[in-house]
Amino acid sequence: MNLLVTGAWSDAKENIEMLTRLGHSVVFLQQETDALPCSYDWVEGVICNGLFLTHPIERFSNLRYIQLTSAGFDRVPMDYVKAHRIEICNARGVYSIPMAEFAVGGVLQLYKQSRFFADNQTRHVWQKHRGLMELNGKTVCIVGCGSVGTECAKRFKAFGCEVLGVDLFPREDECYQAVLPLDRLDSVLEQSDVLVLTLPLTEQTRHLMNTERFSKMKQGSVLVNIARGAVVDTDALIEALNTTLFGAVLDVFEEEPLAQSSPMWDMENVILTPHNSFISDGNSERLEALILNGIKKLSLMTE
């Protein structure tokens, strides 16, 4: 297969020889926005992330295999992929562990008043805080029970939480007390202390969390968004942070980077990070294994 590999795979150059040994012809493109080092019709397979944002997929007339370095499919024209029966694989599972650790860590920072103590340490102030909380016994609702959601469920469960899942495809799963359909979300929100969003962004899930839904959330609850920013209505979130929510852990936003004028920068009850929750020292090894295993299976199928 003629493979175009981009710099979205940070270890690509170290693995080109392996891909060649597997019988593939490989060209490398560091920046996905640059001109291709080959003709579009030469390419039969790609390993990339946002390649099709600047290079229309229609120009790849012989494309039949896509391996993404991301877990989401939102940067790919999926209608075209399905219509042309192009095989596509995402990076499922690669980033789930660090994202789950981020979710738990963020809630713990809010519950344990980490900002208060960090500020006091900076000012050399010795002062106790009597309002610390614990995760044990709390109810956690995870919306989106895929790989990331399930890794979150495992970790919250280990802290003694009751974990409920909400998903388009309900199922029995030992990591959750129950996985309920999306139409049960409102009732679950009323009893949840922590809401974790890990679902993909679609037209159905855009602004899933809006003013009405925030009004149904339990007083003093925490929102964690490690999904996509547009799953949450920003204005509705800001209102909820000023009224009903104890706090929010936010790694994604409707507009990125977050505008300097956003009031969320200065909110004491917000932990804000720049789409960084997936970063980890373990990702490279997992991504390399996933890509090479996929390519090896593809090689066997085409022999």
Side-chain angles (χ1 to χ4, degrees):
M1 176 181 288
N2 294 334
L3 276 176
L4 170 64
V5 182
T6 80
W9 181 16
S10 59
D11 296 325
K13 289 183 177 180
E14 291 81 357
N15 285 280
I16 287 177
E17 184 179 344
M18 171 64 77
L19 295 173
T20 302
R21 287 205 302 268
L22 290 170
H24 304 286
S25 299
V26 182
V27 295
F28 179 73
L29 175 68
Q30 180 62 53
Q31 299 294 332
E32 294 186 336
T33 55
D34 289 349
L36 265 58
C38 59
S39 64
Y40 284 95
D41 59 5
W42 180 87
V43 180
E44 297 173 312
V46 295
I47 300 173
C48 66
N49 183 6
L51 180 69
F52 304 118
L53 296 177
T54 51
H55 297 275
I57 195 170
E58 294 81 4
R59 300 191 68 178
F60 296 86
S61 56
N62 291 311
L63 185 64
R64 54 192 176 92
Y65 180 76
I66 301 170
Q67 170 65 65
L68 299 175
T69 59
S70 62
F73 293 96
D74 48 307
R75 294 184 169 189
V76 180
M78 289 303 296
D79 289 342
Y80 182 93
V81 169
K82 293 174 182 177
H84 290 78
R85 298 182 180 180
I86 299 170
E87 183 176 353
I88 186 167
C89 304
N90 67 342
R92 176 181 171 84
V94 170
Y95 312 108
S96 302
I97 289 173
M99 292 177 72
E101 291 181 356
F102 176 91
V104 175
V107 177
L108 285 173
Q109 286 182 67
L110 290 174
Y111 274 16
K112 304 305 181 184
Q113 298 293 335
S114 294
R115 177 169 289 164
F116 171 86
F117 292 113
D119 289 344
N120 280 355
Q121 182 175 343
T122 300
R123 296 185 292 118
H124 299 190
V125 173
W126 184 272
Q127 181 184 8
K128 293 186 183 296
H129 193 302
R130 301 293 182 180
L132 306 192
M133 301 164 64
E134 61 185 49
L135 269 174
N136 182 58
K138 299 297 190 294
T139 298
V140 178
C141 171
I142 297 174
V143 185
C145 302
S147 178
V148 176
T150 298
E151 291 298 331
C152 289
K154 292 176 185 177
R155 285 155 180 78
F156 280 107
K157 187 175 180 180
F159 275 88
C161 298
E162 176 183 307
V163 182
L164 297 171
V166 174
D167 197 88
L168 286 174
F169 304 101
R171 64 181 189 272
E172 290 187 7
D173 191 314
E174 63 181 7
C175 296
Y176 305 86
Q177 180 166 334
V179 178
L180 305 169
L182 192 57
D183 60 14
R184 294 281 301 277
L185 176 59
D186 289 353
S187 61
V188 178
L189 290 178
E190 295 173 355
Q191 58 182 302
S192 298
D193 301 288
V194 178
L195 173 65
V196 183
L197 303 176
T198 64
L199 70 168
L201 176 63
T202 65
E203 285 308 309
Q204 183 179 4
T205 64
R206 184 177 297 274
H207 284 191
L208 180 77
M209 293 305 300
N210 49 35
T211 299
E212 182 181 356
R213 286 244 162 76
F214 279 118
S215 71
K216 297 180 185 299
M217 289 184 70
K218 191 175 180 179
Q219 184 76 29
S221 55
V222 172
L223 170 74
V224 179
N225 190 6
I226 52 175
R228 287 290 186 264
V231 172
V232 177
D233 182 323
T234 302
D235 292 337
L237 170 60
I238 291 171
E239 181 182 354
L241 284 165
N242 285 318
T243 53
T244 57
L245 291 182
F246 179 75
V249 181
L250 306 172
D251 187 53
V252 291
F253 304 87
E254 284 197 84
E255 294 185 10
E256 296 181 2
L258 183 65
Q260 289 292 320
S261 59
S262 173
M264 289 189 288
W265 286 106
D266 300 311
M267 288 183 166
E268 292 292 323
N269 59 342
V270 173
I271 294 174
L272 183 158
T273 51
H275 209 138
N276 205 82
S277 63
F278 68 96
I279 301 296
S280 168
D281 58 354
N283 288 345
S284 293
E285 184 177 349
R286 286 189 292 268
L287 183 60
E288 179 179 314
L290 180 141
I291 290 175
L292 292 181
N293 285 338
I295 292 292
K296 287 175 183 176
K297 290 179 182 177
L298 183 67
S299 300
L300 291 173
M301 292 172 59
T302 55
E303 284 182 355

